[in-house]
Amino acid sequence: MFTFAEIFFMMQNKYPQKPGIDFILKQAFFYWNKTLVFQLMFSIVFFGILLTGVMLFGEKYDIFSYNKELQEAFMQGTQVYLKKMEEITATENYQMFTLAIWATTAFLYPLNLGMFQIFRKMDLKENIVIGDLFAGYNGLNFFKYVGYFLFWFFIYRFTVPTVVLAIIWVAVTIFVAPLMFFTNKRIFEAISLNFKALKMYFVEIMVCVIVAFLFKYLGFALFLIGGLFTFPFWNAMIYSLYKTVFSEKS
């Protein structure tokens, strides 16, 4: 006869329990807290290049000349303002400016892979250097990551108005980047694996997505400059989930 403790132990081995949400969250905050210097560097590089792009392309396509028109329209009421905004967004200059900013954002996307590299080196207890932040720009893989982001963003921008579909799209693709980076999976193969993981860890993934989104922008809402530290938190959450859900040995 087995004791209750022995039966429980055998059941735990046969049916291992999934790590709880609290474990995943604590692990994510651990990675984020231990790499605050790199979180800050990430944000400075990201916003520095993005804002430079906005200024350069804004001047090139004369976007800032629309400010006066928009101010005048705003004074005349919401309907007039929205109509003027619709007219401006339909112009060729505005559309070219938008494409240029999208291209700039796509260029910056591989910075996220650099944070994954940093977290992995923490696990391996390896020395972390500044160059690790730019690991996503090494070789031809840079074009693979940029291509994935453009594909992802193209679908995301059409789902945003529905909110729910946008959240689902984020959840369905949350592991694609680390799978591509760590295991060299192709985009659709990674999405397939991601979908299987989502079915098994639906609650955990959805809760962590919401927490990560809120915390990511919380710094800007409360402390402004604090947003430079919280903005990259999303990567720590993804890595914590990835490490919990996937076993690269399997």
Side-chain angles (χ1 to χ4, degrees), residues 16-21 24 171 174-175 193-209 240-247:
Q17 298 296 306
K18 294 189 297 184
I21 294 174
I24 298 171
I174 194 171
F175 298 122
L193 291 171
N194 196 142
F195 185 72
K196 292 177 182 177
L198 181 62
K199 289 192 294 183
M200 291 183 60
Y201 292 84
F202 180 80
V203 174
E204 290 86 350
I205 290 174
M206 295 306 296
V207 170
C208 289
V209 164
S240 178
L241 276 166
Y242 171 78
K243 183 180 174 182
T244 301
V245 173
F246 289 95
S247 172

Side-chain angles (χ1 to χ4, degrees), residues 1-2 4 10-11 24 39 52 71 110 141 150 155 169 187 197 206 210 213-214 222-223 238:
M1 295 291 293
F2 294 104
F4 176 79
M10 288 188 292
M11 290 182 66
I24 298 171
Q39 308 289 333
T52 299
Q71 289 174 359
N141 282 335
L150 291 173
I155 296 177
W169 176 239
I187 293 175
M206 295 306 296
I210 294 171
F213 178 82
L214 294 175
L222 299 179
F223 309 109
I238 292 176

Side-chain angles (χ1 to χ4, degrees), residues 47-79:
F47 288 111
I49 294 177
L50 182 62
L51 292 176
T52 299
V54 169
M55 296 302 296
L56 289 177
F57 293 120
E59 290 289 340
K60 178 179 176 62
Y61 297 109
D62 199 26
I63 294 299
F64 303 122
S65 65
Y66 296 129
N67 288 342
K68 185 177 180 181
E69 296 179 43
L70 286 173
Q71 289 174 359
E72 293 175 352
F74 182 77
M75 297 299 293
Q76 298 176 49
T78 304
Q79 293 298 324

Side-chain angles (χ1 to χ4, degrees), residues 32 40 43 215-232:
W32 173 75
L40 180 60
S43 294
F215 188 76
K216 179 177 182 177
Y217 296 104
L218 184 64
F220 289 114
L222 299 179
F223 309 109
L224 295 180
I225 192 68
L228 296 178
F229 291 97
T230 61
F231 180 73

Side-chain angles (χ1 to χ4, degrees), residues 138-154:
N138 293 336
L140 295 176
N141 282 335
F142 162 75
F143 298 100
K144 181 173 69 173
Y145 303 138
V146 169
Y148 163 67
F149 175 80
L150 291 173
F151 161 74
W152 180 88
F153 185 74
F154 180 77

